[in-house]
């Protein structure tokens, strides 16, 4: 067992109101610099929609992430033998998004509103490019251009996650009069098997041993931009002004002192929580090769139980600080993803083993349930699958987003959420038909206990700041596992089976 610690963020999608406060907080703290204007380390997308950059989820186009080929794991980017392909493409990357896939960052000529000479017409503030400084004819794209569908079903109908949906299901998601949409906040997933790290020819990207945060060493970055191509989530960005790539740093200067990340701290809907996970780094390659239908389960398996005495003993042996062990034992991430099984990773089929988790949206499923049960909540008369089939967001769509296509993991999450809500309803109002015995029957059928439901309710509804953000301070001086070079040993800079031993000796 090679035990490592990982910071991880969770998002409760039913609670996100799409206010973009998170994105603005992140931008104000990290990306107001020249060359970084178009970067949104945190962004919020409307789903269904094309996202940012446009259709980032379409790996036929971008070739991000990993694939299993001939029994081994390799970067999708590298079609041929790794090193030859790397050399062939080092000056030209055919799969990079262009600025037209992001947007040309702009401001407005506000001064004209004050300084324009008196005239017959009202002065206007014309848009100005933040790249060229020239006036722009018109603005044609922005980072949240299709927010709330942006007035057109066009974006929704081009969502790559519509794959496998029937025409009537697509219609549910794309016709305005039937429409239901939700928001998908995104940051870098600080993956266990990061394609960005594996693709970098300069060895500039590394995953920190002590907290799993993936960073780009700005001195070592040589602007090859392989990270941009290889990351299937398109979360590294190229800074055209200084010639370096940049990405979300999980606000490590804040987390190291026990503070919540800027995006999470600012979140208006209180949809986010942050926690520590322990994982077995020896199993990364094996887990990343798991077939799609078992991938989410395999991701749960790589996480170690922080209350298991053997895990605690091993954590202490490798020098993980006591406060990290305590934080892992109270981790919202562990509970939501592994213990209660209601949170899921985003696009696990990209095989980077992303370490942020999403509680998939339920609404308006309970409304349907209530209507069908004749105005009362009646678990005995409720057929879960029947209700879930009636969701306005089809399960197939959610499975494409959060289950590597496996609908069962999504259904399990929805059923558990639904059962926990009905349990609480019975506690609060006592109006569930069949009473307590019907509710306990329902809990048994989904494998939850009343205590689990109380804890879920506490975390997703009432939790204090300290309960949502269980972030231990980092004592670098006391850690013996801090060495990021070990992660090169695990993956190599061009992926598994291509380990660059010479990097092991370099100074950081
Ligand atoms: S989300 Fe992308 S940039 Fe972030 S660690 Fe994963 S592969 Fe790297
Ligand atoms: S601040 Fe919170 S509620 Fe608002 S868009 Fe961001 S994640 Fe959603």
């Amino acid at each position: 067992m090679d035990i490592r610690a990982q910071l991880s963020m969770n998002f409760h999608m039913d609670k996100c109101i799409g206010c973009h406060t998170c994105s603005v907080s992140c931008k104000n703290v990290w990306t107001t610099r020249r060359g970084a204007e178009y970067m949104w380390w945190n962004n919020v997308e409307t789903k269904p929609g094309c996202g940012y950059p446009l259709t980032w989820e379409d790996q036929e186009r971008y070739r991000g992430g990993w694939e299993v080929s001939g029994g081994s794991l390799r970067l999708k980017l590298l079609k041929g033998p790794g090193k030859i392909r790397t050399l062939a493409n080092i000056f030209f990357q055919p799969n990079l998004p262009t600025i037209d896939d992001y947007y040309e960052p702009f401001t407005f000529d506000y001064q004209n509103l004050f300084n324009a000479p008196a005239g017959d017409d009202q002065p206007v503030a014309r848009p100005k490019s933040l790249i060229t400084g020239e006036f722009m004819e018109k603005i044609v794209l922005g980072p949240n251009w299709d927010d709330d569908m942006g007035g057109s079903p066009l974006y929704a109908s081009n969502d790559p996650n519509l794959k496998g949906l029937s025409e009537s299901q697509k219609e549910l998601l794309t016709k305005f009069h039937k429409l239901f949409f939700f928001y998908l906040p995104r940051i870098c997933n600080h993956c266990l098997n990061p394609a960005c790290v594996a693709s970098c020819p300069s060895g500039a990207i590394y995953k920190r041993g002590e907290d799993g945060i993936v960073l780009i060493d700005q001195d070592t970055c040589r602007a090859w931009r392989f990270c941009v191509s290889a990351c299937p989530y398109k979360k590294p960005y190229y800074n055209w002004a200084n010639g370096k790539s940049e990405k979300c740093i999980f606000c490590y200067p804040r987390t190291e002192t026990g503070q919540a990340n800027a995006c999470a701290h600012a979140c208006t809907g209180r949809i986010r929580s942050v926690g520590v996970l322990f994982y077995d780094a020896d199993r990364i390659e094996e887990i990343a090769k798991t077939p799609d239908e078992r991938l989410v389960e395999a991701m749960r398996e790589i996480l170690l139980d922080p209350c298991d005495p053997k895990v605690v003993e091993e954590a202490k042996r490798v020098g993980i600080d006591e406060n990290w062990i305590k934080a892992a034992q109270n981790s919202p991430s562990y509970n939501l993803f592994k213990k209660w099984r209601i949170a899921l990773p985003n696009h696990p089929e990209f095989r980077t083993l992303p370490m942020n988790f999403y509680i998939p949206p339920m609404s308006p499923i309970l409304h349907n349930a209530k209507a069908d049960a004749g105005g009362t909540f009646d678990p005995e008369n409720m057929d879960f699958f029947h209700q879930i089939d009636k969701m306005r967001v089809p399960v197939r769509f959610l499975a494409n987003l959060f289950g590597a296509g496996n609908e069962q993991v999504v259904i399990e999450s929805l059923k558990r959420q639904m059962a926990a809500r009905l349990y609480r309803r019975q506690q609060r109002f006592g109006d569930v038909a069949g009473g307590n015995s019907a509710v306990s029957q329902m809990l048994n059928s989904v494998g939850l206990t009343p205590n689990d439901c109380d804890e879920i309710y506490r975390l997703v509804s009432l939790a204090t700041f300290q309960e949502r953000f269980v972030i231990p301070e980092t004592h670098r001086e006391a850690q013996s596992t801090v060495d990021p070079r070990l992660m090169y040993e695990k993956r190599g800079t061009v992926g598994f089976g291509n380990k660059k031993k010479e990097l092991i000796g370099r100074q950081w």
Side-chain angles (χ1 to χ4, degrees):
M1 186 195 304
D2 182 359
I3 184 168
R4 303 287 170 97
Q6 170 79 41
L7 281 172
S8 144
M9 194 179 285
N10 312 295
F11 304 82
H12 191 172
M13 308 196 68
D14 266 334
K15 291 165 73 181
C16 180
I17 55 174
C19 63
H20 300 268
T21 311
C22 46
S23 308
V24 173
S25 317
C26 175
K27 175 142 277 296
N28 281 338
V29 177
W30 300 118
T31 56
T32 47
R33 293 157 289 110
R34 180 126 179 91
E37 299 93 344
Y38 80 103
M39 297 179 196
W40 293 88
W41 292 357
N42 181 110
N43 74 304
V44 182
E45 296 168 10
T46 297
K47 283 283 163 199
C50 288
Y52 163 81
L54 286 176
T55 62
W56 61 270
E57 291 153 294
D58 180 1
Q59 303 313 331
E60 293 304 310
R61 175 181 175 195
Y62 289 117
R63 302 203 60 74
W66 300 84
E67 63 190 358
V68 180
S69 169
S72 39
L73 205 56
R74 70 171 189 197
L75 291 171
K76 270 195 162 179
L77 200 61
L78 308 175
K79 271 193 204 134
K83 281 179 187 165
I84 295 170
R85 169 88 177 174
T86 305
L87 280 175
N89 272 348
I90 205 152
F91 295 111
F92 171 63
Q93 299 248 358
N95 308 108
L96 271 178
T98 67
I99 197 72
D100 292 336
D101 296 311
Y102 297 98
Y103 71 109
E104 185 166 352
F106 53 85
T107 182
F108 292 93
D109 182 20
Y110 294 111
Q111 284 308 312
N112 192 46
L113 300 178
F114 302 103
N115 302 335
D120 293 339
D121 300 319
Q122 191 82 3
V124 293
R126 291 169 62 197
K128 227 177 188 181
S129 166
L130 281 170
I131 296 180
T132 63
E134 303 291 322
F135 284 115
M136 293 163 74
E137 273 294 299
K138 63 177 184 181
I139 297 167
V140 290
L141 199 59
N144 53 349
W145 197 247
D146 57 344
D147 217 15
D148 302 345
M149 297 278 184
S152 160
L154 184 68
Y155 300 99
S157 55
N158 282 319
D159 187 319
N161 299 295
L162 294 175
K163 207 164 82 182
L165 267 70
S166 67
E167 284 312 310
S168 61
Q169 284 177 321
K170 281 184 193 163
E171 197 184 331
L172 273 182
L173 279 167
T174 54
K175 288 282 175 291
F176 272 115
H177 61 288
K178 294 184 170 177
L179 183 81
F180 181 77
F181 57 78
F182 57 93
Y183 301 104
L184 180 75
R186 298 203 303 122
I187 62 171
C188 162
N189 286 294
H190 299 278
C191 311
L192 295 191
N193 182 33
C196 57
V197 173
S199 67
C200 176
S202 315
I205 314 185
Y206 59 101
K207 184 169 178 69
R208 303 208 303 188
E210 75 269 38
D211 55 15
I213 295 176
V214 174
L215 295 173
I216 302 178
D217 177 348
Q218 295 288 287
D219 285 337
T220 315
C221 176
R222 293 286 174 269
W224 299 121
R225 286 175 273 179
F226 272 78
C227 53
V228 183
S229 287
C231 170
Y233 302 93
K234 291 290 164 275
K235 278 298 171 185
Y237 300 86
Y238 177 65
N239 184 318
W240 52 268
N242 68 9
K244 305 283 181 184
S245 290
E246 300 177 6
K247 64 179 282 303
C248 158
I249 57 172
F250 208 76
C251 283
Y252 73 82
R254 293 176 62 88
T255 57
E256 280 182 3
T257 52
Q259 299 177 74
N261 321 53
C263 56
H265 193 132
C267 175
T268 323
R270 298 186 175 187
I271 82 155
R272 302 187 186 215
S273 54
V274 175
V276 172
L277 297 168
F278 288 160
Y279 66 97
D280 181 0
D282 276 343
R283 298 192 64 197
I284 291 174
E285 183 174 3
E286 168 210 337
I287 299 294
K289 282 186 194 168
T290 308
D292 282 358
E293 57 278 10
R294 273 212 72 249
L295 203 42
V296 172
E297 203 46 47
M299 284 182 65
R300 288 189 172 122
E301 283 166 18
I302 201 174
L303 301 183
L304 302 167
D305 178 356
C307 295
D308 179 339
K310 280 195 203 130
V311 172
V312 173
E313 192 187 322
E314 181 61 12
K316 285 183 182 161
R317 193 189 68 75
V318 299
I320 294 178
D321 208 76
E322 196 73 52
N323 66 339
W324 278 74
I325 296 172
K326 212 168 149 207
Q329 290 169 343
N330 292 300
S331 168
S333 306
Y334 185 84
N335 288 339
L336 289 169
F337 178 54
K338 181 147 175 171
K339 185 176 166 197
W340 302 325
R341 305 167 68 87
I342 59 175
L344 297 167
N346 182 210
H347 287 300
E349 74 279 12
F350 297 161
R351 299 179 188 281
T352 59
L353 310 184
M355 282 293 112
N356 295 330
F357 302 102
Y358 294 81
I359 303 177
M362 273 194 21
S363 40
I365 190 172
L366 273 189
H367 176 77
N368 282 341
K370 189 173 181 183
D372 277 12
T376 51
F377 288 99
D378 182 356
E380 282 185 350
N381 294 330
M382 264 200 309
D383 171 357
F384 277 128
F385 290 99
H386 173 61
Q387 297 306 328
I388 287 168
D389 281 348
K390 280 190 167 179
M391 279 178 71
R392 286 167 76 180
V393 180
V395 170
R396 161 81 2 216
F397 184 81
L398 294 177
N400 288 345
L401 254 176
F402 301 116
N406 180 355
E407 293 186 8
Q408 288 314 313
V409 290
V410 174
I411 289 170
E412 181 187 37
S413 163
L414 295 172
K415 284 168 78 173
R416 286 179 160 227
Q417 287 186 66
M418 199 164 167
R421 285 194 196 185
L422 287 174
Y423 165 80
R424 280 303 307 169
R425 184 159 187 104
Q426 174 64 9
Q427 297 290 302
R428 182 79 179 81
F429 299 107
D431 67 351
V432 175
N436 290 339
S437 68
V439 170
S440 44
Q441 204 183 323
M442 174 186 282
L443 293 187
N444 282 341
S445 74
V446 295
L448 285 176
T449 63
N451 192 42
D452 288 332
C453 294
D454 286 333
E455 286 181 16
I456 292 171
Y457 168 63
R458 173 89 207 162
L459 182 62
V460 302
S461 307
L462 302 176
T464 61
F465 199 85
Q466 282 71 23
E467 288 168 281
R468 279 184 288 133
F469 303 116
V470 188
I471 306 173
E473 290 178 16
T474 306
H475 295 292
R476 289 161 160 271
E477 71 289 351
Q479 303 244 354
S480 61
T481 54
V482 175
D483 196 345
R485 293 170 295 182
L486 296 170
M487 300 314 281
Y488 279 101
E489 177 68 353
K490 291 279 175 214
R491 266 176 302 279
T493 55
V494 285
F496 290 101
N498 249 325
K499 293 168 183 164
K500 283 196 172 177
K501 300 279 186 201
E502 67 270 24
L503 282 168
I504 305 301
R506 65 184 279 189
Q507 294 300 308
W508 292 90

